[in-house]
């Protein structure tokens, strides 16, 4: 009876064949292997042998289970399968590849159980092997479908990003750059290039390429027989699937594909207009991309490619509209900027130079301005190598004769546009320029160039007229400046300097003068007339003449200024001029001065520091406001005193207070106290304002009497020796030194200073040499001191020391801290 109460029928179930366990093992629907712990096969069923083709005798006792696996699976067996089996005692559904006797591979799933003996030691491994060929095939199909889906999704994401990039790209160049990058990530293309249609030149222009070395990547006419031009004319997508197809229809493309190793090429027109009407489509360019292997594009891929062409065409159309608007703005901004830049310069040469500097490299790679001014004309070039001079001269002559611009045409050997520069009905010159090829034929560019030439003509003509007036004013001003300053009198020396504004076209009204009122009274004056140009120069000459007429022994500075006030009643342009006027009694060494609205003189006496003379001040000449009383101030001077008169250009700056300018002037004038008078004013102006100062500078320095002791400090520059000789000669003459003694002293002093510069400061250009000279009734003593290091004791400059010893009566060389040479020469009768 069964547990359910029914009859037990299990004993009555009988198979129609004998249930042989051995047969069940050998022909089971899976493979069975029994291996030792080291993997050696000790038993294998017939099912496994049938699958793999192995002979039982080859496997049993001779091969391990791992030997039947592929190399990759053997590594997995060692690193994962065997350690996991030893740790867990069993593994399940391990995917491996078994190598058959003929070398084929069978994908399998493996379950293994490790049996252990009584002591727990591994005894045997039983392995069940399932054939997974169908499963692997199904998995591969699923994987392929997944890969296709992922590729499609990736392509869609790439195209979405490309569309976003196209929407954000404002210019044609940026759109082209975004389009040329699309095929490689979207369709796994090997390389791509983009050509854009230039309607004005009727060309396809090669704009961008991911690999320009792999194809025939250059510009071409739209009428060309090349594949790209054919697609541009037809306006439809064309796929060249094989090299043979290319050779049949487009031989040039076949040659390119052969040289670059490409097998399939896609030519996509970039279009704008209705997508469903071929007749209304406008082709703006062609995108060409290629594959290194033969590629059969699916219908879905072709639809996406056409969509890319439409999106790119619309983006190009929008970008071109933007580019046109931007170019118009840029041209307007360039013209306005050029006008401002030319207005900043006043001289004709500088304006011409500024013009070509603006043109190159902004709109051309080479440009020249040639003006018909003066006997030799004016020429300014900028940029790279100049074109053929003979061809250029012919075109300039033609443009000048016809007064019409000559633009570059296709095949032009010269490659330059020549524009006549006209102003007020005549040709002033020409502007020639070599532009990039993409800008030569555009009508908008030609109109822009004509406008540029017109503006340049007006600016250059104004500069020519302005400079002509300036030249006249300069000549008048320099003719009126004092050129007959008194000299040769041992009682005084006068050094002057005038420097015109380096940045201004018009001349100013700065001036100086020095003259003897009587044999014993010297007058010095510096003034500044309000205004600039011819009127200022003319007024300055009249004021100078008026001062000379009013100066006499009876009148002093105060009465002279009162006379100038009356002069302004007749010459209105002289009103508000500033003047500093001084008279010096040469015998009594007495100074009398007055300032009419002018900056205070600067006085440096031998003892003490420099000081500004701030007394006797009143308003400018002819002033109707402020203090109109004219006063003067009298003071005695020590022989050797230096008085500096100057105009406001020396100290005034827009970026600092005038008090700071006075401080700098005081310091620099004090520093030059020991310098020779010759060149002092020019050096002071160079230090204070430089050569490109924006205002006129006028200086007059008066040295009164002869110093009792001459002390000078020279830089280590041989050019300083000539200045020292001139200064020392005047000092010796003032003290009545006879000519023979004077020549000897000058020779000895010059040689000593030259030796010091050459030997003590041979490696130090910033060294200084101190020179002092004293005179007694019977001798002149000179001391020359340096603070450098000589190359060796007793060395001198050739025969320098010998010349010194021959010229001087006594010579003493002291080599302590530096070297001091003391020389003494007896005067005429004393030497006899």
């Amino acid at each position: 009876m069964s547990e359910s109460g029914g009859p037990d029928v299990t004993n009555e179930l009988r198979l129609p064949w004998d249930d042989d366990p051995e047969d069940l093992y050998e022909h089971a629907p899976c493979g069975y292997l029994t291996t030792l712990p080291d993997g050696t096969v000790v038993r294998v069923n017939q099912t496994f042998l049938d699958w793999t083709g192995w002979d039982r005798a080859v496997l049993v006792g001779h091969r391990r289970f791992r030997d039947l696996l592929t190399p990759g699976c053997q590594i997995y067996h060692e690193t994962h399968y065997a350690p996991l089996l030893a740790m867990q005692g069993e593994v399940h559904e391990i995917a491996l590849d078994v190598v058959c006797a003929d070398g084929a591979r069978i994908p399998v799933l493996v379950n293994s159980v490790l049996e252990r003996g009584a002591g727990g030691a591994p005894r045997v491994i039983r392995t069940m092997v399932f054939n997974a060929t169908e499963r692997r095939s199904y998995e591969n199909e699923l994987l392929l479908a997944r890969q296709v889906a992922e590729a499609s999704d990736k392509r869609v994401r790439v195209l979405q990003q490309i569309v976003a990039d196209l929407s954000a790209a404002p210019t044609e160049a940026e759109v082209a750059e975004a389009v040329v990058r699309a095929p490689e990530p979207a369709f796994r293309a090997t390389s791509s290039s983009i050509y854009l249609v230039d309607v004005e030149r009727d060309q396809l222009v090669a704009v961008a390429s991911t690999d320009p070395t792999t194809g025939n990547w250059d510009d071409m006419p739209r009428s060309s027989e090349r594949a790209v031009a054919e697609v541009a004319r037809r306006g439809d997508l064309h796929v060249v699937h094989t090299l043979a197809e290319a050779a049949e229809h487009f031989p040039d493309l076949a040659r390119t594909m052969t040289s670059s190793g490409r097998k399939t090429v896609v030519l996509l027109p970039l279009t704008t207009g209705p997508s469903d009407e071929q007749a209304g489509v406008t082709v703006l360019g062609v995108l060409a991309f290629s594959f290194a292997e033969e590629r059969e594009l699916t219908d879905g891929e072709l639809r996406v490619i056409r969509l890319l062409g439409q999106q790119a065409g619309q983006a190009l159309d929008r970008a071109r509209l933007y580019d046109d608007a931007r170019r118009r703005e840029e041209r307007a901004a360039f013209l306005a900027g050029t006008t401002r830049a030319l207005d900043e310069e006043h001289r004709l040469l500088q304006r011409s130079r500024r013009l070509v500097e603006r043109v190159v490299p902004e709109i051309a790679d080479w440009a020249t301005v040639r003006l018909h001014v003066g006997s030799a004309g004016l020429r300014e070039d900028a940029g790279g190598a100049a074109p053929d001079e003979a061809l250029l001269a012919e075109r300039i002559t033609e443009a000048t004769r016809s007064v019409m611009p000559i633009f570059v045409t296709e095949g032009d050997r010269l490659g330059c546009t020549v524009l006549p520069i006209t102003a007020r009905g005549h040709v002033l010159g020409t502007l020639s320029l070599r532009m990039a090829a993409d800008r030569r034929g555009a009508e908008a560019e030609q109109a822009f160039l004509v406008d540029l030439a017109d503006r340049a003509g007006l600016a250059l003509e104004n500069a020519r007229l302005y400079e002509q007036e300036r030249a006249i004013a300069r000549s008048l001003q320099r003719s009126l400046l004092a050129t007959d300053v008194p000299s040769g009198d041992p009682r005084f020396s006068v050094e002057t300097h005038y420097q015109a504004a380096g940045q201004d076209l018009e001349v100013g009204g700065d001036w100086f003068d020095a003259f003897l009122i009587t044999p014993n009274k010297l007058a010095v004056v510096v003034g500044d007339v309000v205004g600039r140009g011819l009127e200022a120069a003319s007024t300055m000459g009249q004021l100078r003449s008026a001062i000379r007429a009013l100066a006499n022994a009876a009148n002093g500075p105060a009465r002279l200024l009162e006379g100038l006030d009356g002069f302004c009643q007749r010459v209105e342009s002289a009103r508000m001029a500033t003047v500093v006027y001084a008279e010096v009694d040469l015998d009594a060494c007495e100074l009398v001065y007055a300032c009419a609205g002018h900056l205070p003189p600067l006085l440096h006496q031998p003892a003490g520091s420099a000081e500004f003379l701030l007394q006797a001040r009143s308003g400018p000449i002819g002033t109707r406001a402020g203090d109109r009383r004219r006063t003067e101030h009298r003071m005695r001077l020590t022989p050797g005193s230096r008085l500096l008169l100057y105009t406001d250009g020396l100290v005034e700056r827009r970026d600092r207070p005038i008090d700071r300018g006075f401080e700098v002037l005081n310091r620099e004038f004090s520093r030059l106290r020991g310098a020779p008078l010759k060149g002092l004013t020019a050096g002071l102006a160079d230090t204070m304002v430089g050569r490109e100062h924006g205002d006129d500078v006028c200086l007059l320095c008066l040295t009164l009497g002869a110093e009792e002791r001459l002390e000078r400090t020279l830089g280590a520059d041989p050019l300083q020796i000539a200045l020292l000789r001139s200064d020392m000669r005047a000092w010796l003459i003032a003290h009545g030194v006879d000519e023979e003694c004077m020549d000897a002293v000058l020779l000895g002093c010059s040689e000593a200073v030259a030796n010091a510069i050459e030997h003590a400061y041979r490696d130090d250009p910033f060294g200084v040499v101190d020179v002092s000279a004293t005179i007694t009734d019977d001798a002149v003593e000179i001391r020359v001191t340096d603070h450098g290091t000589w190359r060796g004791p007793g060395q001198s400059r050739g025969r320098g020391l010998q010349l010194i010893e021959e010229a001087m009566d006594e010579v003493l060389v002291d080599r302590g801290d530096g070297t001091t040479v003391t020389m003494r020469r007896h005067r005429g009768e004393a030497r006899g």
Side-chain angles (χ1 to χ4, degrees), residues 83-384:
L84 191 61
L85 180 62
M87 182 176 62
Q88 297 181 166
E90 59 183 19
V91 292
H92 301 284
E93 295 186 352
I94 301 298
L96 299 172
D97 287 337
V98 174
V99 180
C100 299
D102 60 0
R105 299 181 180 185
I106 298 177
V108 299
L109 292 176
V110 176
N111 294 337
S112 296
V113 176
L114 174 63
E115 294 184 4
R116 298 180 183 273
R123 188 173 69 88
V124 68
I125 300 173
R126 301 188 187 279
T127 301
M128 183 182 295
V129 181
F130 296 94
N131 192 328
T133 301
E134 294 295 332
R135 176 172 176 166
R136 184 68 62 84
S137 177
Y138 177 66
E139 289 176 349
N140 288 338
E141 290 178 2
L142 291 177
L143 182 61
L144 179 60
R146 179 180 178 180
Q147 290 174 347
V148 170
E150 289 177 348
S152 177
D153 182 63
K154 179 181 178 181
R155 184 163 53 248
V156 169
R157 288 197 305 270
V158 170
L159 290 177
Q160 288 175 341
Q161 183 61 47
I162 293 298
V163 171
D165 292 344
L166 292 177
S167 300
T171 66
E172 188 178 70
E174 291 173 312
V175 170
E177 190 63 30
V179 173
V180 83
R181 292 197 307 265
E184 295 185 27
F187 310 107
R188 301 190 305 279
T190 305
S191 62
S192 54
S193 304
I194 187 170
Y195 302 79
L196 298 183
V197 175
D198 185 338
V199 178
E200 291 190 359
R201 294 192 296 155
D202 197 29
Q203 280 190 337
L204 283 167
V205 180
V207 176
S209 176
T210 58
D211 188 5
T213 63
T214 61
N216 189 8
W217 191 66
D218 54 6
D219 299 351
M220 68 190 78
R222 279 201 290 183
S223 59
S224 171
E225 296 181 357
R226 290 171 54 181
V228 172
E230 175 66 25
V231 170
R233 291 193 299 271
R234 195 171 61 192
D236 192 18
L237 172 66
H238 188 81
V239 180
V240 181
H241 296 90
T242 64
L243 184 60
E245 182 181 343
E248 181 180 355
H249 299 287
F250 303 109
D252 67 294
L253 182 59
R255 289 190 295 270
T256 300
M257 292 171 65
T258 301
S259 63
S260 60
R262 302 294 187 257
K263 298 297 190 298
T264 298
V265 175
V266 177
L267 301 172
L268 173 65
L270 310 179
T271 61
T272 182
S275 58
D276 55 346
E277 297 181 10
Q278 190 70 20
V281 168
T282 300
V283 178
L284 302 181
V286 175
L287 174 64
F289 56 94
S290 57
F291 302 89
E293 70 285 345
E294 290 187 4
R295 177 76 180 275
E296 190 68 31
L297 297 170
T298 66
D299 291 340
E301 288 177 323
L302 292 175
R303 284 195 298 272
V304 172
I305 290 173
R306 285 191 172 92
L307 179 61
L308 173 62
Q310 294 169 6
Q311 293 290 330
Q314 293 174 8
L316 281 172
D317 190 34
R318 184 190 67 251
R320 286 186 173 181
L321 294 175
Y322 173 82
D323 284 344
D324 288 342
R326 181 176 52 82
R327 286 194 185 99
R328 286 194 295 270
E329 292 178 1
E330 288 177 350
R331 294 186 192 107
F334 179 83
L335 291 173
T338 300
T339 301
R340 289 193 301 271
L342 296 181
D343 287 343
E344 291 173 358
E345 301 290 347
H346 297 296
R347 299 186 181 182
L348 187 61
L349 178 62
Q350 276 70 25
R351 283 197 177 184
S352 302
R353 185 173 301 156
R354 182 65 67 90
L355 176 60
V356 294
E357 288 174 351
R358 289 280 301 176
V359 170
V360 177
E362 188 74 18
I363 62 174
D365 62 14
W366 174 86
T368 180
V369 170
R370 304 192 182 187
L371 303 180
H372 312 316
V373 293
S375 57
L378 185 149
R379 173 175 176 172
E380 277 296 320
D381 297 343

Side-chain angles (χ1 to χ4, degrees), residues 12 38 76 264 325 437 648 677 729 767 774 793-794:
E12 298 179 1
D38 66 351
Y76 185 81
T264 298
D648 56 5
L677 181 63
R729 179 183 296 276
T774 57

